Amino acid sequence: MDRVSKSVTDSTGTLDILRDIDFSLSRRETAAIVGASGSGKSTLLSIIAGLDTPTRGTVHLAGQDLFAIGEDDRAALRARQVGFVFQSFQLMGSLTALENVMLPLELAGTPNARRAATEMLNRVGLSERLGHYPKVLSGGEQQRVALARAFVVEPAVLLADEPTGSLDFATGEKVMELMFELNRERGTTLVLVTHDRSIAARCDRRITIDAGRIASDA
């Protein structure tokens, strides 16, 4: 990420959301993006994923300049290289746990999607919940389905936005332990937005965003 800035303009003027953000991450590295609400953390995560477009600057993912290619190519690159975990789980309510995990594999045309999804759900401890719909799963179970869905595509990068924000403390601790275990097993680069300093402390780096700028990177 090289000198990335993001501004929006409306009738009241121009608002700078991000200003000259500049950092790079190595393979297998874990980084927590921290800062106050409204500091630009989630916007930064969206730009890393190519879901939002910077006003200035460049972002490289797997050697590709994300914004030198069209949206269709960005979406294809995202499907191959990026996994997502959200605070609100973002599961499809009309699909079972197994079908939710199979979905990204099927969209990518991956063979043996059912087997791979089943193995991944077994890995996160949900072998007895394959046929259950999200509405009958607890919050912790839903987030484990989301983790399985994110990791089943074997992404180069996992992006997580407040993954424990909807969970109680004990459940959140278990989910984070599982996330870090899977990250180590799969050799994924993890970028994690969190307000939880204890979670941030477990990462290799803590990038603090303040008023759209990097205040510290350690």
Side-chain angles (χ1 to χ4, degrees):
M1 177 169 287
D2 184 19
R3 299 187 67 82
V4 165
S5 296
K6 175 70 176 182
S7 303
V8 294
T9 302
D10 61 18
S11 59
T12 63
T14 299
L15 173 65
D16 294 322
I17 300 172
L18 296 173
R19 294 180 284 181
D20 294 325
I21 302 294
D22 196 353
F23 67 87
S24 61
L25 295 171
S26 303
R27 187 167 178 254
R28 295 178 176 269
E29 191 169 15
T30 59
I33 299 175
V34 299
S37 295
S39 60
K41 303 186 301 300
S42 292
T43 299
L44 177 57
L45 205 67
S46 293
I47 289 174
I48 293 171
L51 293 168
D52 198 356
T53 306
T55 306
R56 296 180 301 280
T58 57
V59 179
H60 286 83
L61 175 65
Q64 176 67 62
D65 183 344
L66 277 181
F67 301 103
I69 58 178
E71 176 52 38
D72 288 347
D73 289 332
R74 270 202 303 279
L77 181 63
R78 209 162 34 238
R80 294 193 306 271
Q81 300 288 346
V82 183
F84 296 93
V85 179
F86 302 95
Q87 175 178 341
S88 57
F89 318 133
Q90 298 287 348
L91 301 178
M92 300 289 289
S94 61
L95 301 181
T96 64
L98 179 60
E99 290 166 343
N100 266 283
V101 179
M102 288 173 59
L103 183 60
L105 297 172
E106 292 178 324
L107 291 174
T110 305
N112 302 314
R114 178 174 293 272
R115 184 177 69 189
T118 300
E119 290 174 354
M120 198 68 229
L121 283 164
N122 290 342
R123 173 62 187 83
V124 301
L126 293 176
S127 59
E128 303 299 320
R129 307 292 259 168
L130 303 184
H132 289 72
Y133 291 90
K135 66 181 180 181
V136 298
L137 300 176
S138 69
E141 288 172 332
Q142 290 186 63
Q143 197 59 298
R144 281 189 279 159
V145 174
L147 284 177
R149 182 184 58 189
F151 279 105
V152 76
V153 297
E154 300 186 358
V157 179
L158 179 69
L159 304 178
D161 193 357
E162 298 288 358
T164 62
S166 297
L167 305 174
D168 63 76
F169 176 78
T171 303
E173 285 287 297
K174 292 176 182 176
V175 165
M176 288 311 304
E177 185 59 39
L178 180 59
M179 179 182 287
F180 282 113
E181 283 180 11
L182 289 168
N183 198 68
R184 288 190 296 268
E185 289 173 11
R186 306 278 165 150
T188 307
T189 300
L190 172 63
V191 184
L192 172 70
V193 166
T194 183
H195 283 97
D196 190 323
R197 296 284 173 170
S198 66
I199 292 174
R202 299 177 64 175
C203 294
D204 300 323
R205 288 168 67 181
R206 286 157 297 286
I207 301 170
T208 302
I209 305 296
D210 184 20
R213 294 185 182 276
I214 294 180
S216 65
D217 182 355

